[in-house]
Amino acid sequence: MIKRRHLIAGNWKMNLDVKESVKLVESIAPHIADLDEVDVLIAPPFTSLGAVNNAIGNSGIKLGAQNMHWEMNGAYTGEISGPMLKEAGCTHVILGHSERRILFKETDDLIDLKVKAAVVQGLIPILCIGETLEERENGKTFDVIKNQLDNSLLYLRKNNAGMPVSTILAYEPVWAIGTGRTASGEQAQEVHHFIRKWIKEEFNDETAARVRILYGGSVNPDNVADLMSQPDIDGGLVGGASLKADLFIKIMHFQNKLL
């Protein structure tokens, strides 16, 4: 049986200046060494990537970006390319977050272009998917998730090379992001199991067994153990709680609550 390492990822969104970002990294870094089978990633704003990368040093924290353009360069004012992210030290990039889909009208087709660009350019995509409260209450959760997976990963589905096993998916129910509401472990596991089954059907057994699927949506020290104890949940994409060192460190050490 393949054992997947958990990943605790902090999405800082549009918060913290450079000095605050470096201070937060320096508070988190000393607590990485004693983690067992848990990876840690942080995704600061673009303006802090270089300074944060320097502060990470050899601590083992992985660096991700919150978005990217699908072209490598060109006349795209205000955009950031994959090569720029790699130069800043990024290994991962968050794509398709619900805030990008809803506030900035990003479509599955556009997100698919970004996923393709990330894979081709050597970045690991963290693809976000999730349903709204209205969609859940109308019983459309699995239809929405399948549609987002089908179309946001269209390139990988049609590419003979398939999905790299390093690819990360993140289930983030829109109704639980920043609301304080959280899917129960059982609710989240049900959707994660559906996602893993989809990977198996679209790709193969090994890919389904190796790809990590994170849960995001008001993850905090009180609910993280319940979520991480589920068989198909391989980590958390943490928002607000990742901005406070004490809370994020407790989430990183969720295994202490599983003992």
Side-chain angles (χ1 to χ4, degrees):
M1 181 178 177
I2 296 173
K3 184 177 181 180
R4 298 179 297 273
R5 290 176 63 91
H6 281 84
L7 171 65
I8 301 299
N11 177 14
W12 294 358
K13 306 188 180 184
M14 196 173 73
N15 295 291
L16 307 182
D17 61 23
V18 174
K19 184 177 180 181
E20 292 167 335
S21 297
V22 168
K23 182 179 179 180
L24 181 53
V25 174
E26 291 175 344
S27 297
I28 295 169
H31 300 272
I32 301 295
D34 58 345
L35 292 177
D36 182 26
E37 297 296 318
V38 177
D39 294 325
V40 175
L41 177 146
I42 53 176
F46 290 133
T47 51
S48 297
L49 287 174
V52 167
N53 185 48
N54 290 334
I56 285 173
N58 60 1
S59 66
I61 298 174
K62 301 180 186 304
L63 183 64
Q66 299 175 22
N67 188 31
M68 65 175 282
H69 196 274
W70 61 89
E71 294 288 356
M72 295 181 66
N73 53 59
Y76 302 101
T77 300
E79 292 293 327
I80 302 291
S81 70
M84 293 174 181
L85 297 182
K86 292 177 68 176
E87 184 180 32
C90 291
T91 53
H92 295 66
V93 58
I94 299 171
L95 300 172
H97 191 282
S98 63
E99 291 160 3
R100 299 296 313 176
R101 292 176 184 267
I102 294 171
L103 299 176
F104 300 98
K105 313 303 178 186
E106 291 194 2
T107 64
D108 289 329
D109 291 344
L110 186 148
I111 294 164
D112 180 54
L113 289 174
K114 294 185 177 187
V115 171
K116 175 183 177 180
V119 171
V120 170
Q121 295 169 27
L123 287 164
I124 296 173
I126 303 175
L127 173 67
C128 300
I129 51 178
E131 83 283 16
T132 65
L133 180 59
E134 181 181 5
E135 289 166 340
R136 170 166 280 272
E137 291 180 339
N138 289 334
K140 296 180 178 179
T141 293
F142 297 121
D143 291 337
V144 170
I145 297 300
K146 183 179 187 305
N147 185 66
Q148 290 177 343
L149 289 169
D150 283 348
N151 296 299
S152 298
L153 294 173
L154 187 61
Y155 166 75
L156 296 185
R157 290 171 58 221
K158 291 188 173 183
N159 178 17
N160 291 333
M163 176 191 288
V165 296
S166 59
T167 303
I168 298 169
L169 304 180
Y171 169 57
E172 290 199 308
V174 179
W175 49 270
I177 298 174
T179 64
R181 299 181 60 175
T182 310
S184 67
E186 292 75 17
Q187 286 176 317
Q189 165 59 22
E190 183 180 32
V191 180
H192 279 240
H193 178 71
F194 176 84
I195 295 169
R196 202 169 301 283
K197 181 180 177 182
W198 179 89
I199 299 172
K200 179 178 179 179
E201 293 172 350
E202 292 293 330
F203 298 97
N204 53 58
D205 289 358
E206 182 177 0
T207 302
R210 290 185 178 276
V211 166
R212 292 188 283 189
I213 309 173
L214 313 182
Y215 172 80
S218 298
V219 177
N220 60 57
D222 295 326
N223 60 34
V224 64
D226 177 41
L227 292 164
M228 297 306 110
S229 67
Q230 305 300 321
D232 288 305
I233 299 180
D234 306 314
L237 184 55
V238 186
S242 70
L243 298 173
K244 299 180 179 179
D246 58 336
L247 297 182
F248 194 58
I249 291 167
K250 289 178 181 178
I251 293 172
M252 285 161 37
H253 288 82
F254 69 87
Q255 291 176 328
N256 294 340
K257 293 191 174 184
L258 298 179
L259 300 178

